[in-house]
Amino acid sequence: MSGSGSFGGADVTHESGVSRFCKSIFVAVCVAPLVLIGGVCVLGYNEHRAVCSVRAIDEGKKAVTEVGCDSATAGDGRLVMFSCDLKKDGLKPLSPSGEDFKERSFQGTGLETTIEMYQCVEKKHSTTKKDKAGGGTSTETTYSYDMQWMSSWVDRSKFNQAAEARAAAKAKCGDVVNPQWSDAWPANGVQYAEEVQAGAFTLPREYVKQVPLDSQVTMGTAPARWSFQKPDGEGYYFTGGGSNGIGRVRVKFAGNDWKHPAVTALGHNAGGQLSKWTASDSWMCAGFSLGEVRKGQVSKDDLFAKLETEANMMTYVLRAVGFLLSWFAFSLLFVPLEVAADCIPCIGPCLGDNIAAVTCCISCLPGLACSLGVAGCVWVFMRPMVGIPLLAVFVITLGGFIFFKIKNSKAG
């Protein structure tokens, strides 16, 4: 149930060149250093985590003992791995919040509730253009209206109240106001069992949360004023709303798949109680642990290969984040130059855009050097054979940047 939307009017705001220049100075002096510090912290943490997590995974693969499902004392006091079926025994039924579904429950590792209402929504789209003179900018904000499923109440009274915008909202959504959320309806959220049995072993809550809730749950007959339908997937629909559907409510429940109860678990066994296993302390690495639950039967080699792949993927993502933060921080230092150029009559906006493009490219070099420098410093202490070459690249890159600046200064 979604249309093409209805557009209604536009608001235009203006910011002077003086205001932009003052803000750019503040950003360059105050914001840029904070962003750079944030990037350095991300990079330093990431490189330390990368080395220590790989060490923990390698040590765990060598130390793990594969055990069966019948004896809780198998591998007692050691890192164990097993593939067993989850059991319903001892699991307390989980019921959704709210009055309407309180008599219905699901016995499983967890219950996820997703509730949405079909509502009229307002969307904003802003476009900023530079003035031809003075260094100022003009921002045009346009409003459009549509009907969508939303997971929280949308207050229509906060929409743009201009006559043209109100007419556009009425044309798309009519006069129906988005109804208030009822306390009797279930709330969005996830509930988990405190512990679950897998074979002879007990999985605590931190393990239970890793069991996927990927199976739709049907809780018997629908309560009063609700009906069970499948127009957008299995779910319960509240009978109400206007002729255009606004105010209609749907709720879906998901739990673990009891048709495929097998899981593979990895952790420290203490008399049948599983917990995270902590790797032995090493140089600059302490407290790194392993504790996993995966759906289905997974072999030892496959499990540890997945753990290593996930750790490496996280390393690459955080490296990219740290580098982009460093690059962005250095680019912020040049923003006052762009704004100053914008103030030049006639050619100002074009000149400012060119300066922004050039300084963006230039700031990539110190951003890269900073990233390599931080990574190199961490690895010099943790893995010298890798860290020293990285640090050498950092010094060469930074030296090239300084040489480029000095050469340009003399030419100027």
Side-chain angles (χ1 to χ4, degrees):
M1 293 186 196
S2 181
S4 58
S6 179
F7 294 86
D11 293 335
V12 179
T13 57
H14 181 265
E15 184 178 12
S16 68
V18 174
S19 174
R20 287 186 64 213
F21 188 73
C22 292
K23 286 183 179 179
S24 68
I25 294 294
F26 172 79
V27 167
V29 174
C30 300
V31 178
L34 295 178
V35 175
L36 182 60
I37 291 172
V40 169
C41 290
V42 169
L43 290 165
Y45 160 78
N46 180 54
E47 298 306 325
H48 176 258
R49 181 207 57 82
V51 174
C52 295
S53 61
V54 169
R55 284 179 178 173
I57 292 170
D58 289 342
E59 182 182 344
K61 187 175 182 179
K62 296 175 183 177
V64 68
T65 300
E66 296 184 76
V67 298
C69 301
D70 299 328
S71 174
T73 58
D76 191 29
R78 300 196 298 272
L79 174 65
V80 299
M81 173 182 172
F82 56 83
S83 294
C84 304
D85 288 349
L86 297 173
K87 297 180 179 180
K88 286 187 178 182
D89 301 344
L91 287 177
K92 295 181 180 179
L94 301 172
S95 298
S97 60
E99 290 292 324
D100 286 359
F101 284 85
K102 69 177 183 178
E103 301 298 331
R104 289 154 181 80
S105 62
F106 170 71
Q107 189 178 18
T109 63
L111 177 65
E112 181 178 12
T113 303
T114 304
I115 184 169
E116 299 171 307
M117 180 191 290
Y118 198 61
Q119 302 178 73
C120 183
V121 297
E122 180 183 68
K123 298 179 181 178
K124 299 179 182 180
H125 177 72
S126 297
T127 303
T128 300
K129 295 182 179 179
K130 294 180 178 180
D131 298 341
K132 293 182 179 180
T137 58
S138 296
T139 301
E140 182 182 61
T141 303
T142 58
Y143 300 85
S144 63
Y145 301 88
D146 205 351
M147 294 183 293
Q148 295 179 357
W149 289 103
M150 303 295 292
S151 59
S152 59
W153 179 56
V154 178
D155 187 356
R156 191 166 171 177
S157 67
K158 294 182 180 180
F159 288 0
N160 186 356
Q161 297 300 310
E164 192 174 355
R166 294 177 66 179
K170 182 177 180 180
K172 183 61 184 180
C173 306
D175 291 321
V176 180
V177 178
N178 297 330
Q180 287 276 3
W181 217 266
S182 173
D183 292 336
W185 301 339
N188 283 301
V190 184
Q191 304 174 60
Y192 292 101
E194 289 300 321
E195 58 181 34
V196 179
Q197 288 293 125
F201 300 91
T202 301
L203 306 182
R205 187 180 178 85
E206 61 179 341
Y207 278 76
V208 175
K209 289 183 177 181
Q210 298 182 45
V211 178
L213 303 179
D214 53 4
S215 179
Q216 291 292 327
V217 172
T218 303
M219 296 187 179
T221 58
R225 298 196 66 188
W226 290 81
S227 61
F228 186 77
Q229 302 174 24
K230 300 183 181 181
D232 301 304
E234 295 185 355
Y236 294 90
Y237 285 75
F238 185 73
T239 55
S243 57
N244 56 2
I246 290 180
R248 197 175 186 205
V249 179
R250 68 181 179 189
V251 60
K252 299 179 181 180
F253 302 106
N256 62 295
D257 187 1
W258 284 116
K259 294 181 180 178
H260 303 91
V263 296
T264 298
L266 174 73
H268 177 264
N269 181 25
Q273 186 78 27
L274 217 62
S275 61
K276 286 191 173 183
W277 172 83
T278 302
S280 59
D281 294 346
S282 58
W283 171 246
M284 294 186 71
C285 291
F288 281 78
S289 58
L290 298 177
E292 296 290 326
V293 170
R294 300 296 168 102
K295 186 177 181 179
Q297 295 185 349
V298 184
S299 67
K300 170 186 171 181
D301 290 338
D302 287 345
L303 177 60
F304 281 91
K306 289 179 180 178
L307 291 177
E308 189 169 346
T309 299
E310 291 169 0
N312 290 335
M313 184 62 66
M314 179 62 71
T315 299
Y316 296 140
V317 169
L318 291 179
R319 278 176 183 165
V321 171
F323 164 65
L324 291 174
L325 284 173
S326 301
W327 184 3
F328 181 58
F330 282 106
S331 68
L332 291 177
L333 298 175
F334 297 101
V335 174
L337 297 179
E338 176 194 355
V339 179
D342 288 339
C343 296
I344 300 175
C346 299
I347 65 171
C350 180
L351 182 61
D353 290 342
N354 288 331
I355 289 177
V358 171
T359 54
C360 179
C361 296
I362 292 175
S363 58
C364 178
L365 190 61
L368 177 62
C370 179
S371 301
L372 292 174
V374 173
C377 287
V378 175
W379 283 62
V380 160
F381 289 99
M382 305 191 74
R383 289 188 175 180
M385 296 301 292
V386 179
I388 292 175
L390 270 178
L391 204 57
V393 173
F394 159 68
V395 173
I396 293 171
T397 306
L398 186 60
F401 179 70
I402 295 173
F403 174 77
F404 175 78
K405 284 203 69 176
I406 295 174
K407 184 177 180 182
N408 278 358
S409 298
K410 290 181 177 179

